[in-house]
């Protein structure tokens, strides 16, 4: 259950935010600027590539690295295939994970290794394997990490991971870094600069500055001091309380933003969610709108003891779009399907701008919403 009164109590939200999640979301724009500066200092702007890579491989642990791989695929996948190398192992912990290059990987391919702590020995082994096979390696990781030591120099290019000015002052915040909103931009921004340099997408410095500006503006609209009625992230959090979010996306940038939203809802707020792209989402999730998760399911629910029993989840559609409303769209069919089953819809569509700016806004609003759900859910408020 969501304590909606907490959403409009900034001081209480700050007390509940032991992991520094709101700060991470608010500092996303600053993180982009710092990461872009680190990329320039690492020499990315001076690279002279001989041509585009045949394929881009991405390896790294956790939600942030998975989100980076998904975003890179959405933005650069039309020019070169982008393949995420998924880890294997007995546990999601440093020393237990292993990554392997595909048998065909060689000197015409590019390996990207984003990691929020760089302590995974399996990534250092992967970097060594790639070096022996002539694969170009670029890593984004903390400067003093084992991965940085393995990659820096002759084995590849290291871009030190951007951190917030006061990061590290609280151990609890360090522990939340991989799950927090700031981690995505710290890892993603240097890779945007790199992929711009090798010709897989367009992300020059002026575009990255516009992305940072969009993130700053979104943080102003979604910050804890802004009341729920005019705050899109708080509104979305309140709408998703006690629901099963069905995240339907339309547009190249909205797809990875929706999948990331589903991942952070589970990881930060403990809320299960399903993401799918339109129009395939309609048949894929249509049965959920008419089954046990339908808004009007279980007519005997009126007699349930609402004090002692948890409320059943009801489906709610979240429609994320990054294409102009006047273009070819499946949104009207999506609305019709949902409303025909009495299912409410939340909609997010960014302001006009480039694909990267639109992506940044969708990610920022949904990151803030996941954080508010995490902080205002039952059991997280301070006593």
């Amino acid at each position: 259950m969501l304590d909606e009164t907490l959403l409009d109590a900034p001081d209480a939200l700050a007390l509940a935010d032991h992991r520094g999640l709101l700060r991470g979301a608010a500092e996303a724009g600053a993180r982009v600027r710092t990461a872009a500066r680190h990329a320039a200092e690492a020499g990315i702007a001076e690279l002279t590539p001989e041509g585009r890579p045949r394929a881009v491989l991405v390896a790294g642990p956790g939600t942030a690295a998975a989100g980076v791989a998904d975003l890179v695929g959405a933005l650069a996948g039309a020019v070169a295939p982008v393949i995420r190398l998924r880890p294997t192992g007995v546990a999601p912990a440093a020393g237990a994970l292993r990554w392997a290059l595909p048998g065909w990987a060689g000197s015409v391919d590019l390996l990207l290794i984003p990691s929020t702590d760089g302590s995974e020995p399996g990534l250092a082994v992967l970097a060594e394997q790639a070096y022996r096979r002539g694969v170009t390696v670029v890593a984004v990781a903390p400067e003093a990490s084992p991965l940085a030591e393995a990659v820096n120099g002759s084995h590849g290019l290291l871009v030190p991971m951007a951190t917030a000015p006061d990061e590290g002052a609280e151990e609890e915040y360090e522990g939340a870094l991989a799950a927090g909103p700031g981690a995505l931009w710290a890892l993603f921004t240097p890779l945007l600069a790199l992929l711009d340099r090798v010709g897989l997408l367009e992300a020059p410095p002026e575009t990255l500055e516009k992305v940072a500006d969009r993130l700053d503006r979104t943080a102003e609209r979604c910050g804890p001091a802004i009341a729920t009625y005019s705050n899109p992230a708080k509104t979305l959090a309140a709408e998703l309380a006690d629901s099963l979010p069905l995240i339907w996306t339309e547009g190249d940038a909205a797809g990875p933003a929706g999948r990331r939203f589903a991942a952070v809802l589970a990881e930060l707020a403990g809320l299960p969610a399903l993401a799918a792209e339109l129009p395939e989402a309609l048949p894929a999730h249509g049965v959920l709108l008419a089954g046990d998760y339908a808004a009007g399911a279980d007519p005997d629910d009126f007699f349930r003891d609402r004090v002692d029993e948890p409320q059943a989840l009801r489906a709610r559609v979240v429609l994320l779009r990054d294409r102009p409303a006047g273009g070819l769209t499946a949104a009207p069919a999506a609305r019709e399907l949902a409303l025909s089953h009495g299912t409410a819809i939340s909609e997010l569509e960014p302001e006009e701008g480039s694909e990267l700016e639109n992506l940044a806004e969708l990610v920022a609003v949904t990151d803030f919403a996941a954080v508010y759900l995490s902080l205002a859910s039952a059991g997280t408020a301070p006593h």
Side-chain angles (χ1 to χ4, degrees):
M1 294 180 63
L2 189 77
D3 181 359
E4 293 193 31
T5 62
L6 193 64
L7 290 178
D8 287 325
D11 292 340
L13 282 172
L15 287 174
D17 191 13
H18 305 298
R19 296 176 290 175
L21 298 174
L22 278 173
R23 186 172 66 201
E27 293 173 345
R31 195 72 67 100
V32 167
R33 295 185 182 92
T34 303
R37 186 176 70 250
H38 285 189
E41 292 170 351
I44 284 180
E46 284 74 44
L47 293 177
T48 54
E50 298 179 357
R52 294 172 177 171
R54 175 183 61 179
V56 179
L57 308 172
V58 187
T63 300
V68 167
D70 200 2
L71 292 169
V72 168
L75 296 171
V79 180
V82 178
I83 302 168
R84 183 189 173 206
L85 304 181
R86 299 182 182 274
T88 59
V90 297
L97 296 177
R98 295 290 182 269
W99 288 262
L101 289 173
W104 48 262
S107 59
V108 293
D109 302 311
L110 173 63
L111 173 62
L112 308 178
I113 308 180
S115 174
T116 54
D117 63 19
S119 65
E120 306 84 357
L123 289 178
V125 172
L126 177 68
E128 176 64 28
Q129 180 189 12
Y131 170 72
R132 292 197 305 268
R133 289 170 57 174
V135 178
T136 301
V137 180
V138 178
V140 183
E143 195 167 14
S145 64
L147 176 61
E149 296 176 2
V151 172
N152 202 11
S154 61
H155 285 196
L157 174 66
L158 170 72
V159 180
M161 180 179 167
T163 57
D166 55 352
E167 200 166 276
E170 302 176 28
E171 292 183 3
E172 290 175 308
Y173 182 70
E174 290 182 350
L177 179 63
L184 176 75
W185 295 105
L187 297 177
F188 186 38
T189 304
L191 300 182
L192 284 173
L194 171 71
L195 296 175
D196 172 79
R197 191 64 184 168
V198 301
L200 292 183
L201 50 78
E202 292 187 9
E206 55 270 23
T207 296
L208 295 182
E209 183 61 32
K210 289 181 179 179
V211 168
D213 290 343
R214 179 72 70 93
L215 289 169
D216 286 344
R217 292 198 303 272
T218 306
E220 291 174 1
R221 293 166 49 218
C222 297
I226 306 301
T228 298
Y229 68 85
S230 59
N231 186 320
K234 288 183 179 180
T235 298
L236 182 58
E239 290 171 346
L240 294 184
D242 303 315
S243 76
L244 173 66
L246 303 180
I247 303 167
W248 295 352
T249 65
E250 187 169 61
D252 292 338
R259 289 187 288 273
R260 171 176 167 80
F261 188 30
V264 295
L265 281 175
E267 189 166 346
L268 298 183
L271 182 66
L274 299 174
E277 297 186 19
L278 292 175
E280 289 85 355
L282 304 184
H285 293 169
V287 175
L288 291 171
L289 301 182
D292 292 341
Y293 297 101
D298 189 8
D300 295 331
D301 188 63
F302 177 82
F303 300 102
R304 177 177 56 84
D305 188 331
R306 286 163 171 76
V307 175
D308 296 332
E309 296 181 22
Q311 182 174 336
L313 294 181
R314 296 290 179 249
R316 185 182 185 99
V317 171
V318 180
L319 184 58
L320 302 184
R321 305 174 64 210
D322 70 335
R323 62 175 53 184
L328 184 65
T329 173
R335 297 186 189 102
E336 182 179 356
L337 177 64
L339 295 177
S340 69
H341 291 288
T343 301
I345 303 178
S346 303
E347 297 195 34
L348 286 179
E349 187 170 339
E351 301 172 3
E352 291 293 328
S354 68
E355 186 176 30
L356 269 176
E357 291 175 87
N358 293 346
L359 169 68
E361 182 175 337
L362 289 175
V363 169
V365 174
T366 52
D367 273 355
F368 266 106
V371 169
Y372 286 127
L373 270 168
S374 172
L375 299 180
S377 295
T380 60
H383 299 287

